[in-house]
């Protein structure tokens, strides 16, 4: 991974999106590099290819299969996202007229999303709107609360977290 080059790309993307230079020094979020190795996992809910680090992929499959044994269907929504894709997500919202400050409470700026690590997953349940707080009322979420830690996953943005990111009951990250 070319460190300096990556940081420069992040700075360029921030610039293009109008994210102030102060973001980097004031955000409580960490700066994440993209991993060197990613492997394919299952297609997501939308039929898109998704990738994770090899260890995160193994842990996800194990967790998903254990959940299935308990009749819980964990639906994959999003896994690895590169900095360019993260910038596109933000650009799309800006183009729709959303305010940057509001967008950054939902989408971390490029370089600061845990999805860059290839260890973060957005998980949904069939019976619930995707990426909505309501997910916390599903049995899938209850199962994750009880069992995810056994597979190395934890919720990154619990209610009232200090990161500046909204409560995200659907976002879980694997720790190596
Ligand atoms: Zn997420």
């Amino acid at each position: 991974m070319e460190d300096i080059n990556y940081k420069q790309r992040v700075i360029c993307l921030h610039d293009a999106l109008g994210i102030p230079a102060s973001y980097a020094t004031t955000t409580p979020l960490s700066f994440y590099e993209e991993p060197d190795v990613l492997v394919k996992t299952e297609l997501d809910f939308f039929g898109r290819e998704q990738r994770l680090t090899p260890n995160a992929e193994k842990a996800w499959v194990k967790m998903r299969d254990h959940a299935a044994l308990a009749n819980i269907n964990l639906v994959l929504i999003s896994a690895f996202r590169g900095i360019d894709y993260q910038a596109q997500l933000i650009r799309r919202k800006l183009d729709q007229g959303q305010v940057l400050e509001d967008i950054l409470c939902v989408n971390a700026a490029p370089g600061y999303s845990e999805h860059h690590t290839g260890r973060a997953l957005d998980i949904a349940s069939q019976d619930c709107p995707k990426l909505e707080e309501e997910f916390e009322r599903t049995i899938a979420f209850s199962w994750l609360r009880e069992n995810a830690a056994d597979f190395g996953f934890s919720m990154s943005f619990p209610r009232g977290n200090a990161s500046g990111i909204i409560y995200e009951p659907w976002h879980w990250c694997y720790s190596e």
Side-chain angles (χ1 to χ4, degrees), residues 78-79 81 113-115 120-123 131 157 168 170-172:
S78 184
R81 294 204 296 255
S113 169
E114 237 177 29
H115 286 277
L121 292 168
D122 292 336
I123 300 171
L131 312 182
F157 305 108
E168 291 195 347
W170 58 83
H171 179 110
W172 295 77

Side-chain angles (χ1 to χ4, degrees), residues 149-165:
D150 294 345
F151 301 91
F153 286 89
S154 57
M155 204 190 340
S156 304
F157 305 108
R159 198 185 291 284
N161 74 82
S163 72
I165 296 286

Side-chain angles (χ1 to χ4, degrees), residues 39 52-61 117-121 153 174 176:
V39 294
L52 289 164
T53 64
N55 287 343
E57 204 273 336
K58 274 189 212 120
W60 157 244
V61 168
T117 65
R119 292 183 286 104
L121 292 168
F153 286 89
Y174 173 72
E176 303 272 350

Side-chain angles (χ1 to χ4, degrees), residues 104-161:
L104 293 176
C105 295
V106 179
N107 298 100
Y112 296 85
S113 169
E114 237 177 29
H115 286 277
H116 301 329
T117 65
R119 292 183 286 104
L121 292 168
D122 292 336
I123 300 171
S125 174
Q126 295 285 6
D127 52 359
C128 178
K130 313 298 174 256
L131 312 182
E132 299 281 348
E133 212 173 286
E134 284 168 67
F135 179 61
E136 72 174 355
R137 293 200 290 269
T138 63
I139 50 164
F141 179 72
S142 302
W143 188 91
L144 285 166
R145 282 288 294 262
E146 294 228 327
N147 299 286
D150 294 345
F151 301 91
F153 286 89
S154 57
M155 204 190 340
S156 304
F157 305 108
R159 198 185 291 284
N161 74 82

